[in-house]
Amino acid sequence: MRSQAIRSAAATTLTAAALAAAAPPPAADDPVWDQLAACESGGQWDANTGNGYYGGLQIWLPTWQYTGGLRFAPRPDLAPRDQQITVAQEILRRQSWTAWPTCAHRLGLLAPTTPT
């Protein structure tokens, strides 16, 4: 009986996790993207500070390339806000909010980590 309850609880947890992972990313007009950009780049969608990350969401160039960004521009900082968000939605699908770990934590998009 107890093992059945444990399996049931585990299945419920896995189902909830799968549903959360399958949730569609926020729409381009969702304020979360501007909040994330404010944290990542001071809200400068054309940011190129020489740190290897570009645009408002500070996307690493290889990530931009493998998530379809080249259909818009050679680098994120050369693409307008809406195109950066389109690529960020794909990054979110693939990597979750962990693609932006510090700012996602600050904005409450990721659960706080507990030290071990």
Side-chain angles (χ1 to χ4, degrees):
M1 186 74 150
R2 180 167 187 234
S3 62
Q4 183 180 8
I6 291 171
R7 281 194 301 269
S8 178
T12 301
T13 301
L14 290 173
T15 301
L19 288 172
D29 62 351
D30 191 303
V32 72
W33 296 115
D34 288 315
Q35 294 165 0
L36 188 59
C39 180
E40 289 286 342
S41 67
Q44 297 179 339
W45 290 94
D46 61 350
N48 178 358
T49 62
N51 66 357
Y53 296 85
Y54 300 90
L57 301 171
Q58 292 293 278
I59 299 171
W60 189 43
L61 191 55
T63 302
W64 176 258
Q65 294 166 343
Y66 84 78
T67 53
L70 292 178
R71 70 182 185 247
F72 299 120
R75 291 192 322 255
D77 59 307
L78 302 174
R81 175 189 176 278
D82 63 316
Q83 292 174 350
Q84 290 182 49
I85 292 172
T86 297
V87 174
Q89 290 169 324
E90 180 60 26
I91 294 168
L92 182 60
R93 280 186 201 90
R94 294 179 185 206
Q95 298 182 24
S96 82
W97 291 111
T98 60
W100 302 275
T102 301
C103 290
H105 277 289
R106 286 182 188 161
L107 295 171
L109 302 170
L110 287 172
T113 56
T114 48
T116 55

